[in-house]
Amino acid sequence: MLLETALMCMATNIYHEAKHEPLVGRIAVAQVVMNRVEDKRYPNTVCEVVKQGLTYKNGKVVIGRCMFSWYCDGRSDDINRTDPKWRDSLRIASMVITDKITLDVTEGSTHYHATYVRPAWAKTKTKIVRINKHIFYRWEK
């Protein structure tokens, strides 16, 4: 049950964050989630990492204050489950979670952003790689 829950959280994140990216970009987004799970500065489950963000006392997320923008942008998070990109997201999530993909194309990145934004935090991290429309970063070791 835990694996199935993690798989759904990961696939949903891949779908919303990177469904229009090439395969390597979708894998990279998944690897950032796993890198955060392994990093003591972040929650230690896939779903907690994906859903991390500021919340009000009533538990609702604060719009625009989440680690992954789709989760708290105020728009629908519905998924077209017949979309081939959803099926691809499920396959990628499964491969990354079960360590079938062992090469981390992000080299340990815990952050990324789209090329059209300039987050303040980017100055405090080490830029690792650009993959299509995402730029990946990691903490200095």
Side-chain angles (χ1 to χ4, degrees):
M1 186 63 153
L2 282 173
L3 178 60
E4 185 176 316
T5 301
L7 177 67
M8 293 306 290
C9 288
M10 179 71 85
T12 301
N13 195 57
I14 294 165
Y15 184 80
H16 287 301
E17 287 285 307
K19 68 183 168 195
H20 299 298
E21 292 293 301
L23 177 61
V24 67
R26 289 176 280 151
I27 290 169
V29 163
Q31 289 175 328
V32 165
V33 172
M34 295 309 293
N35 290 340
R36 285 185 176 206
V37 168
E38 296 301 318
D39 189 312
K40 66 181 186 271
R41 291 170 279 217
Y42 299 95
N44 59 6
T45 71
V46 169
C47 290
E48 289 172 326
V49 165
V50 168
K51 297 176 180 180
Q52 185 179 12
L54 292 179
T55 57
Y56 294 108
K57 288 182 183 179
N58 66 5
K60 291 192 177 207
V61 295
V62 177
I63 298 294
R65 299 299 304 236
C66 294
M67 296 294 156
F68 299 101
S69 59
W70 70 269
Y71 187 68
C72 65
D73 61 7
R75 296 188 302 215
S76 171
D77 296 332
D78 289 343
I79 295 170
N80 174 357
R81 302 208 184 253
T82 63
D83 183 350
K85 292 179 183 194
W86 170 245
R87 289 191 300 276
D88 288 345
S89 296
L90 285 167
R91 278 193 292 276
I92 293 163
S94 177
M95 289 188 298
V96 171
I97 288 173
T98 61
D99 291 326
K100 289 192 171 97
I101 298 174
T102 56
L103 174 66
D104 181 355
V105 297
T106 74
E107 298 178 29
S109 292
T110 53
H111 293 72
Y112 65 88
H113 65 80
T115 55
Y116 55 84
V117 297
R118 302 274 184 265
W121 59 256
K123 295 176 187 171
T124 67
K125 308 290 180 284
T126 301
K127 182 178 173 181
I128 302 302
V129 65
R130 176 180 172 169
I131 300 173
N132 203 31
K133 296 192 184 214
H134 285 128
I135 303 171
F136 294 82
Y137 300 80
R138 70 174 176 231
W139 296 90
E140 276 303 314
K141 304 247 180 208

